[in-house]
Amino acid sequence: LKLPLSLPLSLSLLLTLSLTAQTLTTSNLPIVVINTFGATIPDEPKITASMKIVDNGAGQINHINGPFNAYDGQIGIELRGSSSQGYEKKPYSIETRDANGEDLSVPLLGMPEESDWAFIAPLNDKTLMRDVIMHAYARAALPWSPRTRYCEVVINGDYKGVYALIET
């Protein structure tokens, strides 16, 4: 069996592209930048970190180095979930905090004030939409269901991908 010359080259290029880290410079989604100051994010307890969000509004381009106009403050962060912690794309639980490390309720990305939030990693959902759509349907039929908002997440300078920020 002789493979066409272009097939091994194509496979090599595909593998190279899939193993190369992605960088983020701009997005039409809000950009969330988290800095843990070198600490590894544990399962428990939450560690102190900083979170900054660039959100210029619907239809506007957000730049990774743009003004942090949607949030710029402290958070507590830990891994979220059980079996999902073993996935390559980790889910996170955060709480917004004041300068003293106490819970601080703030509105994030157009959602009402709250201090507890989650970044859902839609790794097994290639459409990135199942959780978000189900919550939208639930909000239409039930008195309360969590609101969600897509965003790009960068942790310690490493682009993690598209997440859904969700009320907990």
Side-chain angles (χ1 to χ4, degrees), residues 1-8 11:
L1 173 70
K2 185 171 180 172
L3 296 174
L5 180 59
S6 63
L7 185 59
L11 288 174

Side-chain angles (χ1 to χ4, degrees), residues 80 84 87-92 118-125 128 131 160 162-165:
R80 183 177 195 273
S84 59
Y87 296 156
E88 180 182 345
K89 190 173 183 181
K90 310 282 187 219
Y92 301 99
F119 286 107
I120 303 299
L123 179 68
N124 290 333
D125 174 12
L128 308 177
D131 285 339
K160 298 298 185 179
V162 174
Y163 278 72
L165 177 66

Side-chain angles (χ1 to χ4, degrees), residues 117-159:
W117 305 88
F119 286 107
I120 303 299
L123 179 68
N124 290 333
D125 174 12
K126 301 306 178 200
T127 67
L128 308 177
M129 297 187 309
R130 285 192 299 227
D131 285 339
V132 172
I133 287 174
M134 290 313 299
H135 284 298
Y137 281 137
R139 280 192 306 277
L142 302 170
W144 188 87
S145 182
R147 285 168 276 251
T148 60
R149 183 85 189 273
Y150 288 114
C151 57
E152 308 269 9
V153 175
V154 177
I155 299 177
N156 296 329
D158 185 22
Y159 175 61

Side-chain angles (χ1 to χ4, degrees), residues 31-150:
I31 300 173
V32 178
V33 179
I34 296 172
N35 184 353
T36 67
F37 309 103
T40 301
I41 301 172
D43 180 9
E44 283 186 7
K46 287 182 174 78
I47 60 166
T48 300
S50 75
M51 182 172 78
K52 301 170 186 279
I53 302 176
V54 179
D55 183 17
N56 294 320
Q60 302 298 312
I61 298 297
N62 300 300
H63 300 269
I64 188 86
N65 296 323
F68 299 112
N69 53 11
Y71 185 79
D72 186 354
Q74 285 188 359
I75 60 168
I77 186 169
E78 67 185 358
L79 293 175
R80 183 177 195 273
S82 182
S83 61
S84 59
Q85 288 184 16
Y87 296 156
E88 180 182 345
K89 190 173 183 181
K90 310 282 187 219
Y92 301 99
S93 176
I94 67 163
E95 64 184 17
T96 49
R97 296 178 173 172
D98 64 16
N100 296 322
E102 301 296 322
D103 286 6
L104 177 67
S105 292
V106 297
L108 291 180
L109 303 179
M111 294 183 276
E113 285 189 3
E114 178 56 61
S115 62
D116 296 312
W117 305 88
F119 286 107
I120 303 299
L123 179 68
N124 290 333
D125 174 12
K126 301 306 178 200
T127 67
L128 308 177
M129 297 187 309
R130 285 192 299 227
D131 285 339
V132 172
I133 287 174
M134 290 313 299
H135 284 298
Y137 281 137
R139 280 192 306 277
L142 302 170
W144 188 87
S145 182
R147 285 168 276 251
T148 60
R149 183 85 189 273
Y150 288 114

